[in-house]
Amino acid sequence: MNNKGFRRGSFQSSTSDEDMVEIAGGPLDFSITDDDPPLDREMLGGFSLYNGGGMNGTSQMMDFLEEPLPGVGTYEDFNTIDWVREKSRDRDRHREIASKSKESTWALIHSVSDAFSGWLLMLLIGLFAGSLAGLIDISAHWMTDLKEGLCLSGFWFNHEHCCWNSNETTFEDRDKCPEWESWSQLIIGHGEGAFAYILNYFMYVLWALVFSLLAVLLVRGFAPYACGSGIPEIKTILSGFIIRGYLGKWTLIIKTVTLVLAVSSGLSLGKEGPLVHVACCCGNILCHLFTKYRKNEAKRREVLSAAAAAGVSVAFGAPIGGVLFSLEEVSYYFPLKTLWRSFFAALVAAFTLRSINPFGNSRLVLFYVEFHTPWHLLELVPFILLGIFGGLWGSFFIRSNIAWCRRRKTTKLGKYPVLEVLIVTAITAVLAFPNEYTRMSTSELISELFNDCGLLDFSKLCEYVNDFNSTKGDDLPDRAAGPGVYTAMWQLALALILKVFITIFTFGMKVPSGLFIPSMAVGAIVGRLLGVGMEQLAYYHHDWTIFSGWCSQGADCITPGLYAMVGAAACLGGVTRMTVSLVVIMFELTGGLEYIVPLMAAAMTSKWVADAIGREGIYDAHIRLNGYPFLEAKEEFSHKTLAMDVMRPRRNDPVLTVLTQDSMTVEDVEAIINETTYSGYPVVVSRESQRLVGFVLRRDLIISIENARKKQDGIVSTSIIYFTDHSPPLPPSSPSMLKLRSILDLSPFTVTDQTPMEIVVDIFRKLGLRQCLVTHNGKLLGIITKKDVLKHIAQMANQDPDSILFN
């Protein structure tokens, strides 16, 4: 990155975070500077600084950071936050409020409101996330049906709601009513015949292209960060990285609108992952209403963890699953307090969505099901087979999708996002329309596959030969498959092939795209096919040894819908590598606690098989592909290297750039800032002794010097900068001195040169450090930054260390 240098009278310093990345020009437009709540935009002063320094009595000397300066302690874009400093600030702020609360009633009220503000924020996040999820669900349902026709009694009704109001609907044909007309009926007056079919086909493809074109143009023009699922970036942000604008108001507005368009276009994607991004945007924006969250990056990330839980809660109608998802999959720092608040936010979000009732069935999701037949121990064998398939499919999908995304980034393909989206949409729509299982929305498909056939079901999947006279309660005996079931099997097999391959090319395009629903659809199709096969096997061969003990003739033994559910969990687990949260989400979806064991068996088998082929889940793979600075807490570092092997400077490198505590002028420091791009500098007693005093951040230095030049008389290029408490008396003719002890971190983390790297990596992971200084017998030797650690880990894994660059 070219260093634009230090510019007097301006806060715009061009710093690459040496702790993190040197930005090498990404494909997106990162110039979104007017986003209201980018992370850390408005963090002005007003909080106690990490290490304070007192005023010196000398008249010619002043410590400019006695009064907090705007911008000091904040972070540049694409930098990593200092978790230790942020937590220290919050403790100082809390101590100050607690001590003042005993002085007056007003201070006590302020203390109580400060303690309550976190819960109020969670309430607001839950309300906003639930409301937006309801809006997205209702809009997507209507626009999906718009591709096939229009409601004459009110164009705002979707197909189902349109026919609810009709008095001429029969139970068997409840989807057909005179109020709902297909496009061929509206245009040429009838819906039968080849021409009508071709016209409906054409309108379906046309609407799909219009929706996807609008989505990609809005993303490209207004919010480049609104594309994809957002979960890899949110994981990175929660680990302490700053991507300004990623959780801002424009991203929220455009992601909400384009998510509806993308889902309605019929592309093989879901809205569940992007809903996590939407909820986190709500959390980030609402943080700006509360000072303690607006001014502290670590506290804000606790809120974003809770917001992610609320996002999954409304995506699946699974509040507990949402909390576990945030804990297991996305959060980096998850204290107990955040667990309680996440639970509350998820609860409020689910309650809000339930109040809106977007699907009109008093459920939070479209594919809520209830099974009545208990499963048998022998069925664990096909459940484990589904787990094996899920692991194989997950590994195949991750490798194929990453290869395609890498090709998109490294070839001309990435320069034509609009054309790519239109081509994939056209292929999807053309292949999807002839097959009723791909023509319907993916959520409806999963609902159909999860369904347990009853007497009142008239879909093809439930066309069995009925040769019985009575039933016991809700359970129907296993029956011979009719011609409708065999037709449905062929159509589902074709749908499976389309879903398996088209999802590879869809995930990662420049439109909002989630992966949960397509993965579940693949698994549900395979599970339903296997379930029907097992059902027919039990029906025709109930005298076989494996069935004789528990499946007599006329009994209801096999539930194909349960197999679909287990298959969906297996495939989703294979792609994301979730386990606990996945099982909880699935049983919250179905309302059946007795099916936890099959789900656990499938989820664990899926994870084992997928991990045997490749350790990374889809989100971790995308984090690595994009070069995000994410230090994975789940992986162990087992190599026998030392801190001296990783630190800089290495042999034959230029010496380490340092500042001295009391002998450098303003001009000297400005020259160092101009000549280097480091994010901070160690401060030593003198160049000869190299005894460490502390560490100062580049951004704080620039802002402090600029302010001193503007506000303090006598500060010139020859003024000496002091990082000490006391300074020697100066002759009257000498220029004023500048005291900057307040911005100096007097307790930087240090390790010796003989410290094993596995301990250093653990320190970086568990404390969230930006950099660590290396000493030998108390003398400064070098520095290890987060970027150095990531490069070293990549090198030890035989990967390209230069891939750890944000692009």
Side-chain angles (χ1 to χ4, degrees), residues 460-464 480-490 532 536:
K460 277 186 190 173
L461 278 171
C462 295
E463 276 190 27
Y464 288 91
V485 174
Y486 290 113
T487 306
M489 293 298 101
W490 279 109
V532 171
Q536 295 307 298

Side-chain angles (χ1 to χ4, degrees), residues 3 27 73 76 86 153 171 191 263 328 380 471 534 637 716 737 794:
N3 177 38
E76 294 282 349
E86 295 299 306
S153 58
F171 190 80
V263 170
E328 181 182 1
L380 275 179
T471 62
M534 286 289 293
F637 184 86
V716 292
M737 288 183 275

Side-chain angles (χ1 to χ4, degrees), residues 735-788:
S736 298
M737 288 183 275
L738 177 58
K739 187 178 176 190
L740 297 180
R741 188 175 176 83
S742 300
I743 64 170
L744 183 65
D745 175 5
L746 290 168
S747 54
F749 274 85
T750 58
V751 295
T752 69
D753 54 339
Q754 296 300 310
T755 306
M757 268 310 291
E758 58 185 329
I759 293 176
V760 175
V761 171
D762 261 358
I763 291 172
F764 270 88
R765 278 177 182 153
K766 291 173 181 173
L767 295 178
L769 298 187
R770 307 176 84 199
Q771 69 278 317
C772 180
L773 300 174
V774 183
T775 60
H776 178 75
N777 293 339
K779 290 186 176 182
L780 180 66
L781 278 189
I783 186 170
I784 299 175
T785 66
K786 190 174 180 182
K787 179 179 171 184
D788 296 327

Side-chain angles (χ1 to χ4, degrees), residues 305-379:
S305 291
V312 175
S313 172
V314 292
F316 289 105
I320 301 171
V323 176
L324 291 173
F325 173 82
S326 180
L327 173 61
E328 181 182 1
E329 191 61 28
V330 296
S331 293
Y332 194 81
Y333 173 66
F334 202 85
L336 193 59
K337 182 169 58 177
T338 304
L339 179 73
W340 301 332
R341 290 183 174 170
S342 299
F343 186 78
F344 180 63
L347 166 72
V348 173
F351 176 77
T352 306
L353 187 63
R354 171 66 181 79
S355 304
I356 295 170
N357 194 14
F359 302 111
N361 59 1
S362 299
R363 302 293 185 195
L364 296 180
V365 286
L366 192 58
F367 37 88
Y368 186 92
V369 289
E370 289 181 273
F371 302 129
H372 305 287
T373 311
W375 59 279
H376 192 268
L377 190 63
L378 287 172
E379 287 185 280

Side-chain angles (χ1 to χ4, degrees), residues 432-453:
F433 185 83
N435 186 340
E436 65 177 284
Y437 292 111
T438 48
R439 190 190 316 161
M440 64 176 68
S441 75
T442 316
S443 295
E444 288 175 347
L445 170 62
I446 293 171
S447 178
E448 184 98 356
L449 294 168
F450 280 11
N451 185 35
D452 185 17
C453 289

